Every structure is written in structure tokens, then in C-alpha cells.
Amino acid sequence: MHSPQFSLEVFPPKRNAPVGTIYDTLDGLEGLNPDFISVTYGHGTHSDRSATARIANTVRSEYGIPTVAHLTALYSDHEVVDQALEMFDAAGVFGVLALRGDVIEGQQEVGEFEHASDLVAYIRDRRPNLKIFGACYPEGHIECPSLDEDIRNLKIKVDAGATNLISQLFYDNEDFLRFVEKTRAAGIDVPIEAGIMPVTSAVSVRNMARKNATVIPKALNAMLEKWGDDRESLRRAGIIYASQQISDLVAQGVDGVHLYTMNHPGTTRRIWRNVAPLFREV
Ligand code: FAD
């Protein structure tokens, strides 16, 4: 029987947040038993570069869940990447999500890694047995002139050694399914997990959609219009919307679903309660 992967993303608490907040998140996710949890990486030269490895280690050693560590390349040199990989080894991660990272205005790029594919090739050379995840964009990456060109660039990333892909958020499953079809036609045959971000606030949906050129379908727009100022109702509607997206994707034979938890375990649990029977026998 087809059994899709189910994974979650968490991010390290902000520098000045109490240390315990990540435990609140992870305690709240306990019992969901995802296939893995991925931990994001603070981008830019001023971020705490050891936070990802620390949280990944906590997830694996204290909660017994396999972990993937994110790593960005644009503002890192080879030495920083080597140090990160050593920290990830010590944390026992089974995979790295190798990213370019966003361009930060006013910050000088290091120039050793131009694209994520450069980082993938570097990691593949140094850690031949590690799983290497890459990001992909069902509606095309915002900087790329066309989806077809973005998929050609994605092929370079996979040929460099990426073994798995996780998608950017999207709100219309048709966009994701069309994208998967195009990637398969382009000769990309690694598993692609669908990234799902539950709607929790109208402002953040609109901001994310603007930043990533994500289309907001009519049904979602109606929700934002109706409950934009009523956070709790919007959260409830968002749980239903995400659950329906996931159920449809599973029915369409998706390789996996990656839920962006935004460190909100309550919302994540409610969605999982709705969709869990579609993933495993319960
Ligand atoms: P790339 O794959 O390098 O693509 C970036 C652009 O360059 C695209 O337009 C692409 O078409 C083009 N391109 C790629 N290769 C080539 C090539 N060889 N020649 C010419 N053009 C090329 N950001 C963080 O800071 N921390 C995180 O933890 C984080 N986690 C993420 C997780 C997921 C699942 C996703 C989808 C995104 C995440 N991001 C994170 C955001 C990510 O860093 C940005 O989306 C960034 O703008 C692109 O990163 P990338 O790895 O996809 O870049």
C-alpha cells in the first residue's frame, strides 16, 4: 500500500526568547511520531549558527525523532559549512536540507556558494552517505523568469546529489500536481514532499504570498475576508483548509507531506488528528 511520508518543520527560538520555548513546542508535538522533524537555519551573518544543531540534537536524543538540519549557503564560506556539518554529525542528523538562502539587502555575499546546487555538491563530496534535501517551488521561485527554467535549475540540484525535495508552501493543489508532473517529465525522479503551511493569520498569508508569488485561491481569499479580524475562527478554518489540502494530496498519490508547524503545536495536532488515518493504519 502507498504510504506517504509525514514530516514537520520547527525553527529555533529567537536569540532572546526563553530556552524552554522549544520544549513547549516539542512537548506539544509528542505522540505525533512524524517520519522526521526538520530544523530551520538562521540566515545571514548575525544569526546563531549553532542553534539548528542544538535543537536537532534535542529532537533526536530527547524525543527519539529522526532529524534533518537546514543549512544556507549565500553568507557562508567553506569553513562555516564544514563546522556546521561537524555539529550536525554530533547531533546525529540523518539529512541536511541544503539551501541557498534569501538575498539580504545590504549584506555582502561571501561568494563561495552561488546556488543551492553548489552547496549540495560540496556536502555530497564530504558526506557521501548523508541524505541531502533540496527546496523546490510549485509555482516557480520568485527570482526565476519561468517555472520551466526553475525546473531546469532544480535538475542541476538533483544531479549534484539531492536525494529528496521539499516544496515551498502553496494553497492550490493543482499547482503542486502540475509541478510534480513537469519535474517527472524533466527527469527528476527523487521523492517530492508537499510543503503545507496552515493559515493562522490573514496578514502573514498575504505577506508570504507576496514574498513568494503564491496564488491565493478564491476559497482561501473568502476565508481571509470573512475571518481576517477573528483570529480564532480563521485558525479553525485554516485547520480545515490544510486538512482538505492534505487529504486530496494523499488521494492523488503524493510522496509525502511536510507541515510547517510555525512552532504552533496546537494547530499541528488538530490537523494531524484529521489526516492521520490517511497516512498509517490506526
Ligand atoms: P536555489 O536552488 O539556489 O534557487 C534560487 C534561485 O536561483 C532560483 O530562482 C533558481 O531558479 C536559481 N538557480 C538555482 N540554480 C541555478 C543555476 N545553477 N543557474 C542559474 N540559476 C539557478 N531559508 C532560510 O534562510 N533558512 C531555512 O531554514 C529555510 N528553509 C527552507 C525550507 C524550504 C522547504 C523552502 C522551500 C525554503 C526554505 N528557505 C529557508 C528559503 C530559501 O532559502 C529561499 O527560498 C531562497 O530564496 C532560495 O533557496 P534555494 O535553496 O531554493 O535556492
Side-chain angles (χ1 to χ4, degrees):
M1 199 181 81
H2 169 70
S3 175
Q5 288 260 308
F6 174 68
S7 59
L8 302 174
E9 179 191 281
V10 298
F11 51 77
K14 294 208 164 44
R15 255 183 202 276
N16 45 6
V19 171
T21 57
I22 192 64
Y23 285 101
D24 294 343
T25 302
L26 296 173
D27 285 350
L29 297 172
E30 212 158 9
L32 268 59
N33 298 323
D35 291 294
F36 66 87
I37 289 183
S38 80
V39 185
T40 65
Y41 191 80
H43 192 43
T45 43
H46 303 303
S47 56
D48 175 1
R49 295 191 190 273
S50 61
T52 302
R54 280 202 313 276
I55 307 294
N57 185 45
T58 301
V59 171
R60 186 196 54 78
S61 63
E62 295 183 36
Y63 293 83
I65 300 169
T67 48
V68 169
H70 297 204
L71 181 61
T72 61
L74 213 50
Y75 300 98
S76 303
D77 58 17
H78 292 149
E79 200 185 327
V80 168
V81 169
D82 288 339
Q83 284 165 359
L85 290 176
E86 276 165 30
M87 286 191 279
F88 295 163
D89 289 343
V93 309
F94 78 96
V96 170
L97 173 47
L99 299 143
R100 186 199 70 176
D102 282 325
V103 175
I104 303 173
E105 224 173 287
Q107 231 177 79
Q108 183 64 42
E109 289 159 27
V110 172
E112 292 189 15
F113 300 100
E114 194 182 349
H115 305 294
S117 53
D118 303 325
L119 180 62
V120 170
Y122 187 81
I123 299 174
R124 177 52 68 231
D125 181 56
R126 273 148 187 81
R127 298 291 188 280
N129 299 319
L130 201 62
K131 285 249 181 218
I132 304 180
F133 292 70
C136 62
Y137 302 83
E139 295 165 84
H141 185 260
I142 184 94
E143 293 166 29
C144 203
S146 76
L147 180 58
D148 287 341
E149 190 176 327
D150 201 34
I151 290 174
R152 281 196 293 278
N153 292 334
L154 185 61
K155 176 87 165 64
I156 298 172
K157 185 150 62 181
V158 172
D159 289 345
T163 54
N164 297 70
L165 297 172
I166 300 180
S167 91
Q168 180 59 284
L169 67 97
F170 58 90
Y171 296 115
D172 185 342
N173 285 356
E174 286 306 314
D175 289 328
F176 179 80
L177 296 167
R178 198 177 313 113
F179 166 76
V180 171
E181 218 177 281
K182 277 174 171 275
T183 56
R184 299 311 181 212
I188 295 171
D189 56 7
V190 300
I192 305 176
E193 275 193 62
I196 299 292
M197 184 173 288
V199 171
T200 51
S201 118
V203 173
S204 69
V205 171
R206 296 211 192 276
N207 284 345
M208 288 292 283
R210 201 171 312 115
K211 182 172 170 248
N212 298 306
T214 305
V215 171
I216 299 179
K218 235 171 134 182
L220 177 55
N221 197 46
M223 278 168 48
L224 301 180
E225 295 278 314
K226 186 165 175 66
W227 295 301
D229 297 323
D230 176 356
R231 237 187 141 99
E232 189 46 34
S233 297
L234 185 62
R235 191 178 81 93
R236 288 193 191 139
I239 288 166
I240 296 168
Y241 193 91
S243 304
Q244 282 174 340
Q245 262 197 292
I246 295 171
S247 132
D248 177 49
L249 289 166
V250 173
Q252 306 260 14
V254 72
D255 293 325
V257 171
H258 186 70
L259 206 54
Y260 296 105
T261 73
M262 305 302 290
N263 290 12
H264 291 315
T267 302
T268 308
R269 291 195 83 84
R270 299 266 300 274
I271 294 169
W272 181 238
R273 206 183 302 149
N274 289 342
V275 302
L278 308 175
F279 285 77
R280 298 165 200 154
E281 285 182 38
V282 288

